[in-house]
Amino acid sequence: MSHAVQPAVNSGGLAGAGRQYTAELWDGYDPAAMLRDPTIGHFDQVDFASTPCPIVATNLALANFAGGWTGFTGATASTVGPASIQGGVCELTSATDNMDTYLQRSTLGVVNGIGGRPYAFVTSNEVTAWPYHHLARIRFECRLAVSTVAANVQGWFVGFSGVLADNDLDDDTADVVTTKPFFGWSVLNGAAAENATPRVIYQNATAAPTTLIANAGTMVANTWYTFGMDFDPMAKSTERCSFWFNGVKSSTFLTHAMTATNFPRTIDGSTMVDLAPSFMRKNGASTAGSLYISNFRVCQEFVGVSRGNEACG
């Protein structure tokens, strides 16, 4: 099956990983099948070299933008918009202390809402009575860079979250707030070592984040990195979700047991936790800082749905 691999693009002043996706992470990914039959699942793939980046002006409340986006910026010198790097990327930037810049993929362009095709991390209760067709495998990968890893300049979050709002990243630390669900990578605003070290975190909307991987990799300024995850509810219980940094699979996994506590999981028939791909940053000082996103891919494939002549599993 096609991996829809894109060629590496390493010109334009930022070195590092190219725009291609990690083949092993996306093994078996079949967007053509999902286009033919949406009951199999759905996917989204954005490359800002070919897809217009929404322009979110300074001091704009959460608002809807063409192409299925919602965005938010703080009151002073903070914007989301295109940058002329490597043929086109999306830049979230600010130069004022405590200013937010957020961008969220809203599948139907719904203001203050995720839309009709949310991503839901559903876990099996490990008994035979569970309706497996309600489960879904979710894969995500994005390519990003930061303009600086200097101490106290910026913190950021990339991954899945609930509907975003002002101050969803803390003023001092840039940590995620405890009032909504998050699952992804976070960099705290603090010492230089913190700003260069993304961690994998998750949380439900009731508690502080749980740090699953304290050091998911080491970053330097103006260099591209890829971040990926593969949440598979049918994988063995000790490897329910795997994580990738620059094409290398981590030896630390999210386990089934971990999903029972403070994880933003959907529980069939009782609790629905709608999530969407989100890109967020916050200034820690009155110093210019930027988070760059060149491209990302996300896919939700329902378990137990046949493809063409395949039998239902």
Side-chain angles (χ1 to χ4, degrees), residues 56-62 71-75 78-80 99-102:
V56 186
T58 296
N59 195 20
L60 188 67
L62 190 70
F72 173 87
T73 56
S78 55
T79 60
V80 176
M99 288 297 104
D100 300 292
T101 41
Y102 303 155

Side-chain angles (χ1 to χ4, degrees), residues 16-302:
R19 294 185 188 241
Q20 70 271 21
Y21 294 95
T22 302
E24 185 180 354
L25 169 59
W26 294 97
D27 184 47
Y29 168 66
D30 193 350
M34 285 178 275
L35 288 173
R36 289 193 304 267
D37 182 3
T39 65
I40 292 174
H42 57 87
F43 70 96
D44 195 7
Q45 182 168 314
V46 174
D47 190 322
F48 291 110
S50 56
T51 300
C53 175
I55 300 174
V56 186
T58 296
N59 195 20
L60 188 67
L62 190 70
N64 146 260
F65 295 89
W69 299 97
T70 55
F72 173 87
T73 56
T76 308
S78 55
T79 60
V80 176
S84 298
I85 298 171
Q86 294 192 331
V89 303
C90 181
E91 180 183 16
L92 289 72
T93 186
S94 181
T96 303
D97 193 17
N98 296 333
M99 288 297 104
D100 300 292
T101 41
Y102 303 155
L103 188 64
Q104 185 171 67
R105 189 62 163 165
S106 155
T107 56
L108 293 181
V110 177
V111 178
N112 294 329
I114 288 173
R117 292 168 56 190
Y119 294 87
F121 292 90
V122 186
T123 61
S124 166
N125 63 2
E126 305 297 330
V127 300
T128 56
W130 185 264
Y132 274 7
H133 64 280
H134 286 218
L135 305 179
R137 181 182 184 184
I138 298 177
R139 287 182 274 185
F140 172 84
E141 189 171 21
C142 73
R143 177 177 179 261
L144 63 85
V146 293
S147 63
T148 177
V149 293
N152 300 310
V153 174
Q154 67 177 351
W156 52 266
F157 170 85
V158 168
F160 294 88
S161 80
V163 178
L164 298 180
D166 189 9
N167 291 317
D168 274 355
L169 296 182
D170 178 75
D171 277 353
D172 297 321
T173 66
D175 205 357
V176 295
V177 297
T178 61
T179 55
K180 63 186 57 177
F182 291 91
F183 183 28
W185 297 266
S186 166
V187 162
L188 294 175
N189 176 45
E194 288 181 299
N195 284 29
T197 309
R199 54 191 186 132
V200 176
I201 65 166
Y202 61 86
Q203 72 174 45
N204 210 340
T206 56
T210 297
T211 299
L212 175 61
I213 303 176
N215 185 346
T218 301
M219 301 178 67
V220 297
N222 297 318
T223 300
W224 290 106
Y225 300 92
T226 58
F227 294 79
M229 70 166 67
D230 181 0
F231 178 88
D232 188 350
M234 300 302 290
K236 61 182 181 179
S237 62
T238 55
E239 299 182 5
R240 196 51 47 94
C241 186
S242 56
F243 303 92
W244 307 71
F245 178 74
N246 266 9
V248 178
K249 187 176 182 179
S250 173
S251 60
T252 300
F253 300 88
L254 177 80
T255 70
H256 174 73
M258 291 174 182
T259 65
T261 304
N262 198 33
F263 184 76
R265 66 172 179 163
T266 287
I267 302 172
D268 181 67
S270 62
T271 303
M272 182 68 183
V273 181
D274 290 345
L275 301 168
S278 302
F279 308 93
M280 311 164 62
R281 65 166 300 284
K282 189 154 197 167
N283 262 56
S286 295
T287 303
S290 294
L291 171 66
Y292 303 106
I293 308 294
S294 70
N295 56 291
F296 72 90
R297 177 193 285 169
V298 59
C299 176
Q300 181 165 264
E301 301 163 277
F302 301 113

